[in-house]
Amino acid sequence: MLYDLRKMTSSLCHDTCSESGYQFAGLEYGAECHCGNRISSPRAPEEDCSLMCRGERGSPCGGVGRLSIYKVEEQLPGHRKFRNVHYSGCYKMPKATVGTFPIYSVQTNLTVQSCIETCTDKELPLAVLRKPHCFCTWTSSLFSLSQQPRDLPCVGNRDRNLTGTAVSTEPTDDGYYQVYHTPVLDSRCKERMFLPQRSDPLVALSSFPGAGNTWVRHLIELVTGCYTGSFYFDGTLYNRGFKGEKDYWKSGRSICVKTHESGQKEIEMFDAAILLIRNPYRSLMAEFNRKCAGHLGHATDAQWKSKATLLVAEWPDFVASYAPWWASHALSWLKFGRRLLVVHYEELQKALFPQLRRITSFLNVTVTEERLLCAQTNQDGHFKRLGSQRPSFHPFTPDMRRMIDSFIHTVDQALKGRNISGLPQEYLPR
């Protein structure tokens, strides 16, 4: 589900569902977008859908418990564009194995695009292809994380960043198949639940705002099947599927609890913590974007240059206030945190599986390889800003940089003082 309180439009919902491979787009409450492949409820009176889209006057966006349903426009084969399509690798498999996959087709003019379209329509998360054969299946141990995919037989014949262009594929060696993740989330990874018994200890997922806390919560829920909680309540996140938002943060029913707090009292209320740290330059920009344009939007050039408003401070004042907080947040958790696992946002991006294994081990949760593969398949979800839109000018002045670099050095030394690896080199110069 996609939620946008201020800018939801029928076209935004339509495009989101289309890019995720669904046939229907449904709008509710004027701001919520739901996607699906079938309609299971009877038709309701038109007057029940009386709410207009928040970002589009005159366009119906459902009602209270009612959906305005649109049929996603069917695009010509080979021209459909999908979100969250990832190249997995080139695997060697015997014919007897691929013959057990649930969907199989022969396509004379097979392309990566056409095979992904086939598997997306069949609601299966993996497209496995070798000209002229296209197979569709679920994630499984066949695509073992410990088995290094061999790229050599498929070099020159894959499209790692699928954009909708039809790309021919034909491995050079027998028995090798290209594997792509489609936009479909494996049905076995959709289930979420609260912990059946009270969790002991109480674990924080602590970060400075803008450090990727929501993204990491998404990954933890995906890989463990358990809800994460929050020290706060964010209705937007609740409506996007984070049901732990409404649960009392000390209930012990969540696998970990989001917090941005950095006071000694607040830190010592937790028995353990995952401390998520991100490059302060990127964190500051991400948080300013969120304040100006919500969880998925970007601030405009005018907002980067504008004066302060009732909701958002002027950019220089924002940096002057938030940059010291970035440092004090990490320093406080390093000083008062009882049991810590430090995770760097950038390292999680670069090495998803090893970092997720560290996190789940710290949480004392055993996860299956299929769940880890599901995390790779849907690692972005709908919780990351799309694209890397930035202001047309460099927002950090030399004075800002000197201040921020000094904070980087201080936090780096504090980490090493607790016998923890220092900050990634890309945060520096020191």
Side-chain angles (χ1 to χ4, degrees):
M1 183 183 74
L2 176 67
Y3 180 92
D4 195 325
L5 184 62
R6 294 181 296 175
K7 300 179 181 179
M8 180 56 70
T9 65
S10 58
S11 59
L12 172 61
C13 183
H14 181 286
D15 290 345
T16 298
C17 295
S18 175
E19 291 169 0
S20 298
Y22 291 99
Q23 298 180 36
F24 297 100
L27 292 129
E28 185 180 15
Y29 295 113
E32 294 183 4
C33 171
H34 305 263
C35 305
N37 283 319
R38 58 185 61 88
I39 301 172
S40 56
S41 300
R43 191 180 186 94
E46 290 293 329
E47 56 267 23
D48 285 5
C49 292
S50 57
L51 297 177
M52 297 297 106
C53 293
R54 298 295 178 89
E56 184 179 20
R57 289 184 180 180
S59 180
C61 261
V64 178
R66 295 288 186 270
L67 290 172
S68 296
I69 297 179
Y70 296 80
K71 180 72 168 68
V72 172
E73 182 180 351
E74 296 184 5
Q75 296 175 310
L76 293 174
H79 291 79
R80 295 163 65 183
K81 294 187 179 182
F82 298 120
R83 183 181 304 183
N84 293 340
V85 171
H86 301 286
Y87 175 70
S88 176
C90 194
Y91 294 82
K92 187 169 186 177
M93 290 177 290
K95 291 181 179 179
T97 298
V98 294
T100 64
F101 293 163
I103 300 297
Y104 165 61
S105 65
V106 176
Q107 301 177 23
T108 305
N109 297 315
L110 178 70
T111 66
V112 171
Q113 175 76 16
S114 64
C115 188
I116 288 176
E117 288 182 2
T118 298
C119 298
T120 298
D121 291 341
K122 297 297 183 181
E123 297 189 44
L124 287 168
L126 291 183
V128 181
L129 57 152
R130 171 184 171 81
K131 194 173 183 179
H133 308 286
C134 171
F135 301 86
C136 308
T137 188
W138 296 280
T139 53
S140 77
S141 57
L142 285 172
F143 311 100
S144 172
L145 302 180
S146 60
Q147 173 191 341
Q148 291 294 324
R150 283 192 57 187
D151 278 347
L152 182 59
C154 297
V155 166
N157 297 292
R158 67 183 182 274
D159 180 8
R160 288 184 181 272
N161 300 307
L162 195 69
T163 60
T165 304
V167 179
S168 182
T169 172
E170 186 170 8
T172 57
D173 290 358
D174 289 339
Y176 284 94
Y177 295 79
Q178 294 186 63
V179 179
Y180 282 83
H181 296 290
T182 75
V184 178
L185 176 61
D186 194 315
S187 58
R188 298 169 297 178
C189 301
K190 292 181 180 179
E191 295 297 323
R192 303 284 191 280
M193 66 176 186
F194 288 106
L195 298 176
Q197 296 180 335
R198 179 182 173 86
S199 173
D200 188 24
L202 186 64
V203 182
L205 175 60
S206 178
S207 71
F208 173 77
N213 199 300
T214 301
W215 178 52
V216 176
R217 289 178 67 187
H218 162 69
L219 291 173
I220 290 174
E221 292 194 2
L222 192 61
V223 80
T224 66
C226 299
Y227 285 121
T228 59
S230 178
F231 190 75
Y232 320 98
F233 170 68
D234 187 326
T236 301
L237 293 182
Y238 177 82
N239 285 316
R240 287 196 184 125
F242 289 97
K243 301 307 180 185
E245 284 288 320
K246 277 191 175 180
D247 198 53
Y248 177 48
W249 70 276
K250 291 184 74 174
S251 71
R253 301 202 308 157
S254 302
I255 196 165
C256 61
V257 178
K258 165 190 173 178
T259 180
H260 297 312
E261 302 300 312
S262 54
Q264 180 178 354
K265 178 182 177 182
E266 288 77 13
I267 292 173
E268 291 178 345
M269 288 191 291
F270 291 95
D271 302 297
I274 299 168
L275 176 59
L276 177 64
I277 301 177
R278 186 183 187 186
N279 186 314
Y281 289 101
R282 296 187 179 277
S283 289
L284 290 167
M285 294 182 69
E287 178 61 6
F288 191 73
N289 277 323
R290 187 193 68 81
K291 285 184 173 293
C292 291
H295 285 280
L296 300 178
H298 294 83
T300 63
D301 272 7
Q303 287 170 316
W304 289 101
K305 297 178 180 179
S306 66
K307 300 296 182 182
T309 68
L310 291 175
L311 297 176
V312 184
E314 187 177 1
W315 171 244
D317 292 338
F318 176 87
V319 173
S321 173
Y322 274 65
W325 182 14
W326 176 87
S328 65
H329 178 274
L331 295 172
S332 294
W333 280 91
L334 289 170
K335 182 176 181 181
F336 301 116
R338 295 173 183 170
R339 186 168 70 91
L340 282 181
L341 173 70
V342 176
V343 175
H344 296 289
Y345 176 94
E346 291 77 12
E347 291 179 356
L348 185 59
Q349 283 184 312
K350 293 176 181 177
L352 183 69
F353 297 132
Q355 293 298 318
L356 284 178
R357 285 198 178 100
R358 289 182 66 226
I359 291 171
T360 53
S361 176
F362 184 79
L363 294 171
N364 197 28
V365 176
T366 301
V367 297
T368 64
E369 193 162 276
E370 284 75 15
R371 276 278 183 179
L372 286 168
L373 284 166
C374 284
Q376 182 189 50
T377 303
N378 195 46
Q379 58 187 283
D380 291 343
H382 291 292
F383 309 108
K384 295 186 73 178
R385 288 184 177 86
L386 298 179
S388 56
Q389 180 179 332
R390 296 186 180 185
S392 59
F393 62 97
H394 205 292
F396 295 99
T397 66
D399 286 343
M400 290 178 184
R401 284 186 166 277
R402 280 190 288 270
M403 174 182 64
I404 294 170
D405 286 348
S406 70
F407 292 141
I408 289 174
H409 178 78
T410 300
V411 172
D412 183 64
Q413 294 302 308
L415 285 166
K416 293 176 179 177
R418 274 198 61 161
N419 294 319
I420 300 172
S421 297
L423 295 175
Q425 289 293 320
E426 65 187 73
Y427 286 29
L428 309 171
R430 303 186 177 186

